[in-house]
Amino acid sequence: MMMSVNSGPTRRSGMLFVISSPSGAGKTTLARMVADSQKLVFSVSYTTRAPRPGERDSVDYKFVTDDEFSRMVEGNEFAEWAVVHGNRYGTAVHAVNRALEDGTDYLFDIDWQGGQQIRRQWPTQSVLVFILPPSMAELERRLRRRATDSPDAIARRLAIAKRELEHYGDYDYLVVNDNLDRAHQQLNAIVEAARCSRAWCAHLAEQLLAEASPGGAGATVTPLSAVPHD
Ligand code: ADP
Ligand code: 5GP
């Protein structure tokens, strides 16, 4: 499809990079790694669940009461929210607005229900990645080794892992987290590929077209994908 200079996008929107997985597959570990290596802003969710040992308010989650969460739902303060493992979790709408308005790339560690809501609302700005464990036995080992949940909570998480896995079809990419470094490399590659996609780079071509047109000012386009990482 040909785009005229005046109708094409002139500015790049931010990317909404969603990572989901069954609990224990390593999504939080990987999300932190790729956010760091790719300079993605990690979206800190709101939750009604109690902090685990070592978790910090406003760093891992914003821990709120049920009443506070309900008030935010009523005030339309969430871009998406869902009940997961019996607690409520939600993404603040201002994180998404900031991504879309000033081009900041955000990373969302959210479940499949949240992923679906983001995809439905921002189909062209979202990239959805599902992290798979190498096996169900290894998933169970990781949940037990993490030792942050009670045996009851671990049993509950395993029971719903299958239901979570059934939603892999909603995602653009599947990454197996067997070797952590390899999975991290694959996530880096996905972010870099997305940053080179036509949807995100059309504004660069449009700048060159403007320069090439009679009377166009000189322009040097710089891709935003050049972020150094290991
Ligand atoms: P999730 O956020 O998906 O629930 P976590 O990131 O908390 O999972 O990881 C669950 C546990 O598995 C943690 O103890 C983490 O250190 C460990 N882990 C993550 N990735 C790997 C991997 N590739 N190999 C072995 N252990 C891993
Ligand atoms: P955990 O309690 O282990 O930190 O997270 C439980 C699940 O909730 C994970 O699958 C995590 O991705 C998901 N989650 C965390 N924050 C959000 C959020 O803001 N929205 C949704 N929909 N899910 C979330």
Side-chain angles (χ1 to χ4, degrees), residues 9-10 195 200-209 220-224:
T10 55
R195 283 174 165 162
W200 269 286
C201 291
H203 67 291
L204 301 178
E206 292 297 330
Q207 281 172 33
L208 292 171
L209 281 172
T220 305
V221 292
T222 315
L224 287 164

Side-chain angles (χ1 to χ4, degrees), residues 116-158:
Q116 272 188 353
Q117 293 176 58
I118 297 280
R119 170 54 48 91
R120 213 176 298 128
Q121 295 175 86
W122 296 283
T124 59
Q125 292 97 337
S126 52
V127 177
L128 272 59
V129 183
F130 199 77
I131 308 291
L132 298 172
S135 67
M136 297 312 282
E138 173 62 12
L139 183 69
E140 181 168 357
R141 269 194 294 279
R142 286 183 193 170
L143 280 173
R144 295 198 189 288
R145 220 179 302 131
R146 186 169 69 180
T148 48
D149 295 297
S150 66
D152 268 6
I154 291 177
R156 232 182 1 257
R157 281 168 190 264
L158 281 170

Side-chain angles (χ1 to χ4, degrees), residues 16-20 80-82 91 108-123 126-130 167 170-171:
L16 309 178
F17 191 66
V18 171
I19 297 191
S20 308
E80 64 75 30
W81 70 272
T91 301
F108 302 88
D109 169 346
I110 60 179
D111 86 324
W112 64 269
Q113 303 172 84
Q116 272 188 353
Q117 293 176 58
I118 297 280
R119 170 54 48 91
R120 213 176 298 128
Q121 295 175 86
W122 296 283
S126 52
V127 177
L128 272 59
V129 183
F130 199 77
H167 294 280
D170 296 338
Y171 286 75

Side-chain angles (χ1 to χ4, degrees), residues 21-29 142 145-146 177-180:
S21 78
S23 184
K27 138 191 88 279
T28 305
T29 308
R142 286 183 193 170
R145 220 179 302 131
R146 186 169 69 180
N177 180 20
D178 186 357
N179 175 290
L180 189 65

